[in-house]
Amino acid sequence: MNNKNNSYLEIKRKKRVLTIFLLLSLILVLVFSCFAGCKSNSLNKNSKNLTNYSLSLSFDDNTKTLQGTQTVNYINSTQVVLKEVWFHLYPNAFSETAKIKPVSNLYKDKAYPNGEDFGRITINKVAVENKEKEIIIKEPDNEVLVVKLNEDLYPDDRVNINIEYNVLLPNCLHRFGYGDNTYNFGNFYPIACVYENGSFKTDAYGSNGDPFYSEMANYDVNITYDKDFTLASTGEQKNTINLENKKQTNIKASVVRDFAFVLSKKFNVISKKAGNTTVSYYYYEDKNAEKSLQCAVDSINTFNSLFGNYPYSTYSVAKTNFIHGGMEYPNLVFISDSVTNIEDYLNVIVHETAHQWWYNMVGSNACEYAWLDEGLTEYSTLMFYKKNPSYNINVKESLNSSLSSYLLFSEICTSVYGSFDSTMTKNVNTFKGDMEYVYVTYVKGVLFFDNLNEMVGDKKFEKSLKYYFEENRYKNATPANMISAFEKICKRNLENFFDSWINGKVVLQNYK
Ligand SMILES: [Zn+2]
C-alpha cells in the first residue's frame, strides 16, 4: 500500500460520505418542507370556499372611536337562494337603549368601575356591488343589519358588500370596551349571521355565556393606531408601516371564526415556539410572565397531541382589563388581570387555549349548546392536568368538589324556586342568571364528560374526541355530531346516555 493509493481511497471515501450526507439532507429538507407545506395546505385548502372580509380600521384614542370600512366578499354556503344577507351589530348591545345587555346586574359595578358607560356601532353606508343600499337595522336592540341584495344569490355564488361604520368603545371592562390598561376589540364589526333551517340566526348579546355563532372566514385587516400602542390580534401581523404620528399594521388570518384585537400602551411581549406555532404573551404586571407563556406553550403541545394539530402560525395570550376570567377568539385569548392567584391564572390560560379546538376549529352554536364547547373545554382542561402532573392539580379532588358544589347549588335552587332545571341543551338567554348558566354548562358539563370517560375508558374517550375533531374541523358541530363520533369509535349506542345527561334526567345524587 502506498501513500498515493491511500490518498485516492481517502478521497473516494470522503466523496461517498459527502454523497450520503447530501442525500440525507435532501430527504430531511423534503420531509420538513412537506410537513410545513401540508400544515399550511390544510388552511389553504379550507380557505377556498369561505367568505372573505377586508377591514380597514382606524382607532382614535382621544374619542375612543374606531372608523371602519369593510368589504365582505360573501359566499352563499347554504343550499337555498338568498335575497338578503344579515349581519350582527354586537356593539349595539352596549348602547343605552339595549333591552338585553351583556353585563348583568351582578357584575355591573365590576364592569363599569367609573360608572355605567355606553358604546355602539353606527352604520354610515351600505353598498352591494357598488350600488348604495338603504340601511336597514332591526329593532328592538338594533343588533342586526339587513342587507338586501341587488339580485338572487345562488348557492356557492359570491357578492361584494361594502359597509362603512363608526364604533364607539365604552369604558367597560368587557370583550368590547376599555379600562386603564387595554382597549378590547372583541365582536366589534358587522359579522355575517349564520343561515340555518330557513333563517339567519340572530341571538341577542346577553350576559350569559358567549352568545356568538359564526362561520369560518378569511380576513385581511389594516389597523391604524397611535405609535405608542402594541397590538395583539387574531392572525399573522404581516407588516407595520409608520405614518405621521401613527402606525398601520396589516394582518392576514385564514380559516378563522372571528377577528379580534387588543391595543395597549403597557404591553410587554415574550414569545416561544410550540411546534410550528409562535406563542406570544402580551402582559403588564406579571412577575410570573415566563410561567404564563410556558403554560400557553404546554397547552398548545398537549392539545396538539390529544385532539389534533393547531395549524396556525400564531397564538397570542393577552392580559386584559376584563370582568370574567378570560375570553377566547381565534388565535387570540384575553386573560383577565383581575385573576391574581397564579394557579387560577394558569387555569384560565389552559381553558382558553382549549377553546382554540372547541370553539374556533370545531365551532358550535354556543347560544343553543353552550355545554358542547364550555363543558368540553372545562373537561379538556382537566385532561391537560392529567397529562401534565408538574402543574400539581389533583384532578380527582377537582371532580369531587365540582360534584359537591353542583349538588349544593341544585339543593339551594330547589328550596328557593321549588325546582331546579338542569337541562343542558337550552338557549343561553333562558337560564335563570349567571349562576345557573355556569353550574349547568361548566360544572355539570365536566361531570358529564367525566362520566362518559369512565364508561368508555381513556383510550376510546381520547380516540373519540380525536375523531370528533377530525370530522368537524372548520365546521359547526351539533350534539348529534358528538354522539355519532363516540358511537362510531366506542361501537355502542349512546343516545340514551347523552339524552339523560343533556336533557336533565340524570340523577346526580347517585353519581359515584
Ligand atoms: Zn370557556
Side-chain angles (χ1 to χ4, degrees), residues 210 326-328 351-352 355 358 373-375 377-378 437 442:
D210 309 326
M327 179 62 200
E328 69 279 13
H351 175 103
E352 302 309 337
H355 271 305
W358 318 129
D373 78 338
E374 290 303 348
T377 295
E378 273 292 271
Y437 168 75
Y442 290 68

Side-chain angles (χ1 to χ4, degrees), residues 85-104:
V85 179
W86 293 18
F87 292 86
H88 293 281
L89 301 177
Y90 288 126
N92 283 343
F94 289 83
S95 67
E96 200 163 2
T97 54
K99 305 265 185 314
I100 297 175
K101 292 179 185 291
V103 180
S104 66

Side-chain angles (χ1 to χ4, degrees), residues 397-441:
E397 232 168 58
S398 160
L399 284 165
N400 286 341
S401 90
S402 293
L403 178 62
S404 47
S405 67
Y406 178 82
L407 292 176
L408 181 65
F409 181 74
S410 76
E411 263 170 45
I412 293 169
C413 286
T414 309
S415 65
V416 174
Y417 303 112
S419 66
F420 172 53
D421 181 8
S422 65
T423 309
M424 292 160 80
T425 292
K426 63 178 181 182
N427 190 283
V428 279
N429 289 323
T430 62
F431 283 95
K432 286 195 206 93
D434 310 68
M435 297 300 276
E436 189 185 277
Y437 168 75
V438 167
Y439 274 96
V440 172
T441 303

